[in-house]
Amino acid sequence: MNALLDGLNPEQRAAVTTTDGPLLVIAGAGSGKTRVIVHRIAYLLDQGLARPEQILAVTFTNKAALEMKTRVHQLLPPSRRYGELLVATFHSFCVRVLRRHLDRFGGSYTRDFTIYDTDDQGRLIKACLKELQIDEKQFPPRMIQYAISRAKNQGETPETLAPASDPKRDAILKTFRLYEMRLAAANALDFDDLLLMTVRLLRQFPDVADAYQNRFRYILIDEYQDTNPPQFNLVRLLTQRHQNLCVVGDPDQSIYRFRAADIRNILEFERHYPRAKTIVLAQNYRSTKVILQAANAVIRHNRARREKQLTTQNPVGEPIRGLIAPTAEAEADLVVEALLQWQRQRSHLPEAETRAAILYRTNAQSRLFEEACRRRGVPYVLVGGFSFYQRAEIKDALAYLRLLLNPHDDAAFERIINVPARGIGKATLEIITARAARDGLSRWTAMEQVLAEGALNPRAATALAGFAGLIRDLQARLEGSPLSTLVSAVVNRSGYLDMLAQEGTLEAESRRQNLEELVTAAAEADERGASLREFLDQAALVSDTDDLVDNARVTLMTIHSAKGLEFPLVFVVGLEEGLFPHARVVDDGEELEEERRLFYVAITRARHQLYLTQAQRRRVYGEERITDPSRFLEEVPEQIVQFEAVPSSSGGVTQSPLSYGAPYGAPASPSAAKPAVELPRSQPAASTAEGFRLGDRVEHATYGAGQVVRVADGKLDIAFPGKGIKRFVAAAAPLTKLPRR
């Protein structure tokens, strides 16, 4: 037996040695897909089936590409040199091709083209809007930029798009046309063009296509479920001669639809390649049996998938812990407390075995967990975004607040004088800056003098006076207004929320949510009796996270950012209707399935221990709202979710709800009715109220079956699947106790 095949399970070995023709490898979470790709490349080289330059392996990150190439070299004898082995991302591969052939298009295109990044694109789009005399306030550049990028990711050009049917679409189409003309004139390509122009090159110039089709005898594509139309077309063009194509991916982990990823590319692979063979990797090497039972039960509710059942030879493992907190703030505190307890119990283990991740649906959720970690002195790393108080929209809002307290704060003045855009141009700012420098004044005082002297044209003077009036009006609210009211007034009166609403992009929605979270932070400061200055000081201190990066014990990130990672301990937080699944997708079947895939990805990041947490009440834009448990929680078999009281750090028993979870409802399908693994049953907390105990199952005439999730002060909190948490006075509760399971 070839040594390269040692240690591979039968399915992995088949995926490595099935070298002729198209091959689809459905690789479940934690099933060793990278190992298969690396061993397959090494096997092709070792068996002499291909030379290094005849193999192309494509993945989605430069880090993954480097790791694959390094591991291939480690598998093979050092005497062999494989410098020509090409392991690349789609975009880096396209750059290589275009650097050699872009001049074939003629005109201003040369091989020395410039690649425009996001900022370059934004500036060019602004210039196009100005040239076309399109109002930026009505059609924000970011909205236009997002629309153009999305069209390109779907393989569209200005010529293939349908005619404009409304003013917004007309503005997008006109800008798109001019934008493309200006790119060509500048010999520039944006990031999306790298794919589109490579596809166009191979289609338009058969000799170029022939050269690459002849060169690459074996092509391997990682994360195939995340490919978009241009990437799909590129793969089709490259494999027209030698169809030794191996694609590896998992439909159940397709979570990038918002980037135009098309799950049909992997679901319909056999239709595109009729000779294809399919191998399923379902043996998981990462997680315990309990975690996999939850993952299998959840994803079974999706229709757009390839049937598979993850299995493992790992131990049964600890039950999943369900945690229901009374508030979002308590959720963060209890998560960090549970994290510390878990890590203390494993202090004898290597540090890598005590790492944890807190996974959330939206970036705005990070703030509470950042603050909870800081309060307890827990070092953390924030992945997939800036620290909450370092995000641009938060810094903008805080700059307004700083200017209200101190109008002579020049840094704050310069940051927000034209944010959002209010018609204060560069020439006006130059006049103010020159006056300030000449007379040694603050920008604010210089502005007042310039306005008083009538030194500006009427349009500029009106815009500047409007800004000054806005700040004075907000300053008048300083006395007597709660902080949350003041912050809300800033983000509304400034026009910031209107600006984001007009953009209409996913990024704008995320930024809006962050501003809502800032209002919530201000409401919490109100409860502490904090002043505006104290609030700003706290925000300034929280911004300094450099000391938290080294030796981090917990990683905070969105679930999208967690793709491909794994942790011994994982908290999936904020499992509430409207948050996860997100409110904007609940009426869209396809989007809802993507949200479920996102939950599946979150579950399968956990190796040893998984927490699923929910807050009964959560502040949204400063207003406290009662939440309903996420429908996804009902899809986790209740028999594998444990609910128990645990000791607090002070040594007592925390009654509620530092609970390790609760059954969230009856199994969603008959197949989930009986657990695949037997778990020890936890003992309920000692506290009772009128005969009811924590964890008791009860029946209510209106709400149906539920479970006691809190016993305190003679009251009961009952979790009713799909109906949320209901509170009853124990002595008068219209409840019938059900037998314990």
Side-chain angles (χ1 to χ4, degrees), residues 575-597:
L575 282 161
E576 300 139 32
E577 284 293 301
L579 184 56
F580 193 19
H582 198 281
R584 70 169 179 267
V585 310
V586 294
D587 295 324
D588 185 319
E590 291 184 357
E591 291 282 4
L592 186 59
E593 289 210 351
E594 177 123 338
E595 289 284 292
R596 186 176 285 109
R597 290 194 292 270

Short mmCIF file of all heavy atoms in Angstrom, two decimals, residues 575-597:
data_model
loop_
_atom_site.label_atom_id
_atom_site.label_comp_id
_atom_site.label_asym_id
_atom_site.label_seq_id
_atom_site.Cartn_x
_atom_site.Cartn_y
_atom_site.Cartn_z
N LEU A 575 -29.74 33.37 20.32
CA LEU A 575 -30.63 32.50 19.54
C LEU A 575 -32.08 32.89 19.80
O LEU A 575 -32.80 32.26 20.57
CB LEU A 575 -30.36 31.04 19.89
CG LEU A 575 -29.10 30.48 19.22
CD1 LEU A 575 -28.61 29.23 19.91
CD2 LEU A 575 -29.35 30.22 17.74
N GLU A 576 -32.48 33.97 19.11
CA GLU A 576 -33.82 34.53 19.26
C GLU A 576 -34.40 34.83 17.89
O GLU A 576 -33.68 35.19 16.95
CB GLU A 576 -33.75 35.81 20.10
CG GLU A 576 -33.20 35.60 21.49
CD GLU A 576 -32.26 36.71 21.91
OE1 GLU A 576 -32.47 37.87 21.48
OE2 GLU A 576 -31.30 36.43 22.66
N GLU A 577 -35.70 34.69 17.77
CA GLU A 577 -36.38 35.03 16.53
C GLU A 577 -36.14 36.51 16.20
O GLU A 577 -36.24 37.38 17.07
CB GLU A 577 -37.89 34.78 16.65
CG GLU A 577 -38.28 33.32 16.57
CD GLU A 577 -38.01 32.72 15.20
OE1 GLU A 577 -38.56 33.22 14.19
OE2 GLU A 577 -37.25 31.73 15.12
N GLY A 578 -35.83 36.77 14.95
CA GLY A 578 -35.55 38.13 14.52
C GLY A 578 -34.09 38.50 14.59
O GLY A 578 -33.65 39.44 13.93
N LEU A 579 -33.33 37.76 15.39
CA LEU A 579 -31.89 37.96 15.46
C LEU A 579 -31.17 36.80 14.79
O LEU A 579 -30.28 37.00 13.97
CB LEU A 579 -31.45 38.09 16.92
CG LEU A 579 -29.98 38.41 17.18
CD1 LEU A 579 -29.55 39.67 16.46
CD2 LEU A 579 -29.72 38.53 18.68
N PHE A 580 -31.56 35.59 15.15
CA PHE A 580 -31.01 34.39 14.50
C PHE A 580 -32.08 33.29 14.58
O PHE A 580 -32.20 32.66 15.62
CB PHE A 580 -29.73 33.97 15.20
CG PHE A 580 -28.91 32.94 14.45
CD1 PHE A 580 -29.10 32.72 13.09
CD2 PHE A 580 -27.95 32.20 15.11
CE1 PHE A 580 -28.35 31.77 12.42
CE2 PHE A 580 -27.18 31.26 14.44
CZ PHE A 580 -27.39 31.05 13.09
N PRO A 581 -32.87 33.09 13.50
CA PRO A 581 -32.72 33.68 12.18
C PRO A 581 -33.02 35.17 12.16
O PRO A 581 -33.84 35.65 12.93
CB PRO A 581 -33.72 32.91 11.32
CG PRO A 581 -34.78 32.48 12.27
CD PRO A 581 -34.04 32.18 13.56
N HIS A 582 -32.35 35.86 11.25
CA HIS A 582 -32.49 37.30 11.12
C HIS A 582 -33.90 37.64 10.63
O HIS A 582 -34.50 36.90 9.85
CB HIS A 582 -31.45 37.84 10.14
CG HIS A 582 -31.22 39.31 10.25
ND1 HIS A 582 -32.08 40.23 9.70
CD2 HIS A 582 -30.23 40.02 10.86
CE1 HIS A 582 -31.62 41.44 9.95
NE2 HIS A 582 -30.51 41.35 10.66
N ALA A 583 -34.40 38.79 11.09
CA ALA A 583 -35.78 39.17 10.77
C ALA A 583 -36.03 39.29 9.28
O ALA A 583 -37.12 39.01 8.79
CB ALA A 583 -36.11 40.50 11.46
N ARG A 584 -34.99 39.68 8.52
CA ARG A 584 -35.24 39.95 7.10
C ARG A 584 -35.36 38.68 6.26
O ARG A 584 -35.67 38.76 5.07
CB ARG A 584 -34.14 40.84 6.53
CG ARG A 584 -32.79 40.18 6.39
CD ARG A 584 -31.81 41.03 5.57
NE ARG A 584 -30.53 40.39 5.46
CZ ARG A 584 -29.52 40.60 6.29
NH1 ARG A 584 -29.66 41.44 7.28
NH2 ARG A 584 -28.38 39.96 6.14
N VAL A 585 -35.12 37.49 6.85
CA VAL A 585 -35.13 36.27 6.04
C VAL A 585 -36.27 35.33 6.39
O VAL A 585 -36.46 34.34 5.69
CB VAL A 585 -33.79 35.51 6.17
CG1 VAL A 585 -32.61 36.42 5.94
CG2 VAL A 585 -33.67 34.82 7.53
N VAL A 586 -37.01 35.62 7.46
CA VAL A 586 -37.94 34.61 7.96
C VAL A 586 -39.07 34.31 6.99
O VAL A 586 -39.71 33.25 7.08
CB VAL A 586 -38.52 35.03 9.32
CG1 VAL A 586 -37.43 35.06 10.38
CG2 VAL A 586 -39.21 36.38 9.24
N ASP A 587 -39.34 35.20 6.05
CA ASP A 587 -40.41 34.96 5.08
C ASP A 587 -39.89 34.49 3.73
O ASP A 587 -40.64 34.39 2.76
CB ASP A 587 -41.24 36.25 4.88
CG ASP A 587 -41.98 36.65 6.15
OD1 ASP A 587 -42.44 35.74 6.88
OD2 ASP A 587 -42.09 37.85 6.41
N ASP A 588 -38.60 34.21 3.65
CA ASP A 588 -37.97 33.75 2.41
C ASP A 588 -37.42 32.35 2.66
O ASP A 588 -36.47 32.17 3.42
CB ASP A 588 -36.86 34.72 1.99
CG ASP A 588 -36.24 34.37 0.65
OD1 ASP A 588 -36.02 33.17 0.38
OD2 ASP A 588 -35.95 35.30 -0.13
N GLY A 589 -38.02 31.36 2.01
CA GLY A 589 -37.63 29.97 2.26
C GLY A 589 -36.16 29.70 2.00
O GLY A 589 -35.50 29.02 2.80
N GLU A 590 -35.62 30.20 0.89
CA GLU A 590 -34.22 29.96 0.56
C GLU A 590 -33.29 30.65 1.55
O GLU A 590 -32.27 30.09 1.97
CB GLU A 590 -33.92 30.41 -0.87
CG GLU A 590 -34.60 29.54 -1.94
CD GLU A 590 -34.20 29.96 -3.34
OE1 GLU A 590 -33.46 30.95 -3.49
OE2 GLU A 590 -34.63 29.28 -4.30
N GLU A 591 -33.63 31.89 1.90
CA GLU A 591 -32.80 32.62 2.86
C GLU A 591 -32.86 31.95 4.24
O GLU A 591 -31.86 31.89 4.96
CB GLU A 591 -33.28 34.07 2.97
CG GLU A 591 -33.01 34.91 1.73
CD GLU A 591 -31.56 35.35 1.63
OE1 GLU A 591 -30.75 34.95 2.47
OE2 GLU A 591 -31.25 36.10 0.69
N LEU A 592 -34.04 31.44 4.61
CA LEU A 592 -34.17 30.76 5.89
C LEU A 592 -33.31 29.51 5.93
O LEU A 592 -32.69 29.19 6.96
CB LEU A 592 -35.63 30.43 6.17
CG LEU A 592 -35.93 29.84 7.56
CD1 LEU A 592 -35.49 30.80 8.66
CD2 LEU A 592 -37.41 29.52 7.69
N GLU A 593 -33.25 28.78 4.82
CA GLU A 593 -32.39 27.60 4.77
C GLU A 593 -30.92 27.99 4.92
O GLU A 593 -30.13 27.27 5.54
CB GLU A 593 -32.62 26.82 3.48
CG GLU A 593 -33.96 26.11 3.43
CD GLU A 593 -33.94 24.84 2.59
OE1 GLU A 593 -32.93 24.59 1.91
OE2 GLU A 593 -34.93 24.08 2.66
N GLU A 594 -30.55 29.15 4.35
CA GLU A 594 -29.17 29.61 4.52
C GLU A 594 -28.89 29.94 5.98
O GLU A 594 -27.81 29.65 6.50
CB GLU A 594 -28.89 30.83 3.63
CG GLU A 594 -27.51 31.40 3.82
CD GLU A 594 -26.70 31.48 2.54
OE1 GLU A 594 -27.00 30.73 1.58
OE2 GLU A 594 -25.75 32.25 2.49
N GLU A 595 -29.86 30.55 6.67
CA GLU A 595 -29.70 30.82 8.09
C GLU A 595 -29.53 29.53 8.87
O GLU A 595 -28.72 29.45 9.80
CB GLU A 595 -30.91 31.58 8.63
CG GLU A 595 -31.02 33.01 8.15
CD GLU A 595 -30.04 33.94 8.85
OE1 GLU A 595 -30.20 34.19 10.06
OE2 GLU A 595 -29.12 34.43 8.18
N ARG A 596 -30.26 28.49 8.49
CA ARG A 596 -30.12 27.20 9.18
C ARG A 596 -28.74 26.60 8.91
O ARG A 596 -28.13 26.00 9.79
CB ARG A 596 -31.23 26.25 8.74
CG ARG A 596 -31.22 24.93 9.53
CD ARG A 596 -32.38 24.03 9.16
NE ARG A 596 -33.63 24.51 9.73
CZ ARG A 596 -34.63 25.06 9.03
NH1 ARG A 596 -34.50 25.21 7.70
NH2 ARG A 596 -35.72 25.45 9.62
N ARG A 597 -28.26 26.76 7.68
CA ARG A 597 -26.90 26.29 7.38
C ARG A 597 -25.88 27.05 8.24
O ARG A 597 -24.89 26.48 8.68
CB ARG A 597 -26.59 26.46 5.89
CG ARG A 597 -27.36 25.53 4.99
CD ARG A 597 -26.79 25.49 3.58
NE ARG A 597 -26.95 26.73 2.84
CZ ARG A 597 -28.00 27.02 2.08
NH1 ARG A 597 -28.99 26.14 1.95
NH2 ARG A 597 -28.06 28.15 1.41
#
